[in-house]
Amino acid sequence: MATLVPARVRVRMYQVGFGDCFLVTIEYDGAGGNTRAERHILFDCGSTSGPDDRPVNMADIADLIAEHTHGSLDVLVLTHRHRDHLLGFGDTHGAEVFRTLAPKLVLRPWTEDPTLPATADGPADDGAAAAGRFAVHLANAQSAVEGVATATAESSGAKHDLHEEALQALPNQAAVTALDTLAADGRGQYLHAGTALRLQSVVPGLKVTVLGPPTVNQDKRVAKQVSRNPEYWMLRLQQSLTASAPAEVQPPADVPPGQVRWLVEHLAKHQTDSLTRLVRDLDDAMNNTSLILVLEIGNLSMLFPGDAQIEDWQPTLDKLADDQVLSAKLAGIDLYKVGHHGSRNATPRSLYALWTKRPAGAPPLTALMSTKPDVHGHSAQTMVPRQTLVNALKEVATLFSTDDLPKDSAFLEVVAPATGGPFKPV
């Protein structure tokens, strides 16, 4: 068997507007005969708002990925189930493309395990009694918010931004089903902080460190915005109610009976302001299930944190002062996929502080940000991307953004030798 030696790492950031889609390609020396000289890892494929206010064509993105992988995908990573990260897997053409690419491994957060029952004790290697309940309540809450958002929008003239918030927070069921199929027959792995991944047989020379998400047992802070019972959601709504009269809204007829329908029937009577807050709470909670992965190949390292927010990051940040190995690993990364499209709540200050003190002689950091302005946020403090963060990143890294791509560019590509950075644009 040929000995494969990592030679180069190539990262493509696709133009999907407000969303994420990244392809990491590892190129090898020493391949011969029928041995493939490349391995490919795809991070997410989704969008909620296409570039230049035009709909993003996820079918075209899928075709590009097929072209760049030469028809074979080794690892598919879904960081979390927001539409701006998974929409492409639910596209009819895209789903067929990814089925043909036949990823050997599908990596998702532990909350996405379709076999996790409501009474589960959590992942098999974790003892969190609350873990199964966390995932189930998250799914129930999504269904409830979807029903309420639809009913409110149709019956009471809800604000446009509520509809957009709801779309962002809710799953594309076709995409989830397609991912479940791709992950069948033992190909799916459901990760939490500390999960040991052995990928040598799939991607030679690759080491992956899973920093997040934590399970509830590992850190209860990750679940702080997720319902543990229906009353929690009602309390959240009560706190946000104003004195105006509730809208007369009937729940959709197709909502199934049980807890979800109970939530829909009760929440649908409340006003749009309350629902907006509920949707945003759910959005925050979903981001707290995002995978945070460090990839190391040769002398290169890359950080892909999805949309992880502070509760997801906190267990890692708590260790930095005492864990010098972890601190050095994060300080010395070569490529950072900017968290949450440049949002203010996804690049921790203590992580950024490490980059301001990078070791002497370390290659420059490269940052890739897939984003689109004017989709989320209505002030300088809430705008995505956050300008103060963008300015700060430019002080410690060479920052590339999809927002800066020429109109006819479908992707941005950077490459670095496996012997060491920096990554440079092609």
Side-chain angles (χ1 to χ4, degrees):
M1 181 179 292
T3 301
L4 295 178
V5 179
R8 283 166 300 282
V9 175
R10 195 177 301 273
V11 181
R12 295 178 177 95
M13 175 172 65
Y14 294 96
Q15 175 57 285
V16 292
F18 196 91
D20 265 9
C21 187
F22 292 81
L23 181 68
V24 177
T25 296
I26 300 168
E27 301 172 358
Y28 298 88
D29 288 337
N34 294 324
T35 303
R36 293 165 55 224
E38 295 180 346
R39 299 292 187 274
H40 305 282
I41 306 165
L42 180 68
F43 282 83
D44 297 331
C45 186
S47 176
T48 57
S49 181
D52 304 318
D53 295 321
R54 54 186 164 86
V56 65
N57 191 324
M58 301 309 298
D60 287 349
I61 298 294
D63 286 340
L64 264 179
I65 292 167
E67 176 185 335
H68 292 154
T69 59
H70 308 293
S72 183
L73 182 60
D74 297 279
V75 181
L76 191 162
V77 181
L78 179 76
T79 59
H80 62 299
R81 67 159 65 192
H82 273 155
R83 287 172 67 94
D84 58 343
H85 292 256
L86 58 57
L87 180 67
F89 302 111
D91 174 83
T92 302
H93 178 76
E96 178 61 23
V97 169
F98 290 115
R99 187 194 66 77
T100 303
L101 292 177
K104 298 173 181 63
L105 284 177
V106 179
L107 308 181
R108 291 192 276 176
W110 63 270
T111 51
E112 296 303 306
D113 188 345
T115 67
L116 193 67
T119 56
D121 286 338
D125 57 346
D126 183 78
R133 294 193 296 274
F134 179 97
V136 170
H137 280 298
L138 198 61
N140 284 349
Q142 285 180 299
S143 297
V145 172
E146 183 172 25
V148 179
T150 300
T152 306
E154 291 176 353
S155 303
S156 63
K159 297 176 184 177
H160 175 73
D161 66 337
L162 171 61
H163 178 66
E164 294 302 317
E165 292 278 358
L167 283 179
Q168 167 72 358
L170 298 167
N172 180 328
Q173 189 55 50
V176 174
T177 300
L179 288 162
D180 287 345
T181 301
L182 292 173
D185 301 324
R187 294 186 298 271
Q189 295 190 32
Y190 303 92
L191 314 180
H192 58 82
T195 299
L197 279 176
R198 295 175 177 85
L199 302 179
Q200 183 67 27
S201 62
V202 179
V203 184
L206 176 66
K207 176 184 177 182
V208 178
T209 302
V210 184
L211 297 179
T215 65
V216 178
N217 193 47
Q218 289 175 315
D219 196 306
K220 290 181 173 58
R221 290 171 291 188
V222 76
K224 77 171 191 176
Q225 298 189 70
V226 179
S227 80
R228 288 174 290 182
N229 54 60
E231 286 73 25
Y232 171 86
W233 291 99
M234 295 303 293
L235 178 62
R236 293 290 294 189
L237 282 170
Q238 269 190 331
Q239 291 171 345
S240 64
L241 284 175
T242 64
S244 57
E248 294 296 330
V249 178
Q250 295 300 317
D254 59 350
V255 176
Q259 184 189 51
V260 170
R261 185 168 181 87
W262 185 93
L263 283 167
V264 170
E265 289 173 347
H266 285 70
L267 299 183
K269 297 176 183 178
H270 291 289
Q271 62 196 121
T272 300
D273 276 354
S274 302
L275 179 57
T276 302
R277 293 197 182 198
L278 178 60
V279 169
R280 287 171 181 165
D281 285 342
L282 176 59
D283 183 74
D284 289 342
M286 192 63 66
N287 286 330
N288 283 340
T289 71
S290 186
L291 291 175
I292 306 174
L293 304 183
V294 177
L295 277 59
E296 297 173 84
I297 189 81
N299 291 324
L300 292 173
S301 62
M302 297 161 279
L303 174 60
F304 284 83
D307 283 0
Q309 297 183 159
I310 189 63
E311 290 85 7
D312 196 342
W313 268 109
Q314 198 63 61
T316 296
L317 303 180
D318 290 346
K319 298 174 184 176
L320 291 182
D322 298 324
D323 190 334
Q324 296 304 307
V325 173
L326 176 61
S327 180
K329 185 192 294 280
L330 291 175
I333 63 167
D334 297 284
L335 184 142
Y336 170 51
K337 196 292 294 187
V338 178
H340 203 187
H341 320 286
S343 170
R344 62 178 180 168
N345 57 0
T347 301
R349 289 181 180 272
S350 50
L351 176 65
Y352 177 83
L354 294 177
W355 299 333
T356 66
K357 303 172 184 176
R358 285 170 69 85
L365 172 64
T366 297
L368 301 181
M369 181 170 66
S370 183
T371 193
K372 178 185 174 183
D374 303 322
V375 175
H376 291 281
H378 303 287
S379 69
Q381 288 71 37
T382 61
M383 196 69 68
V384 181
R386 179 73 180 271
Q387 191 58 49
T388 52
L389 173 64
V390 170
N391 294 342
L393 286 172
K394 288 180 178 179
E395 293 180 2
V396 297
T398 303
L399 176 65
F400 298 97
S401 171
T402 52
D403 190 47
D404 297 327
L405 283 176
K407 196 167 186 176
D408 59 347
S409 294
F411 62 94
L412 179 138
E413 184 176 359
V414 296
V415 65
T419 51
F423 281 86
K424 296 182 179 180
V426 175

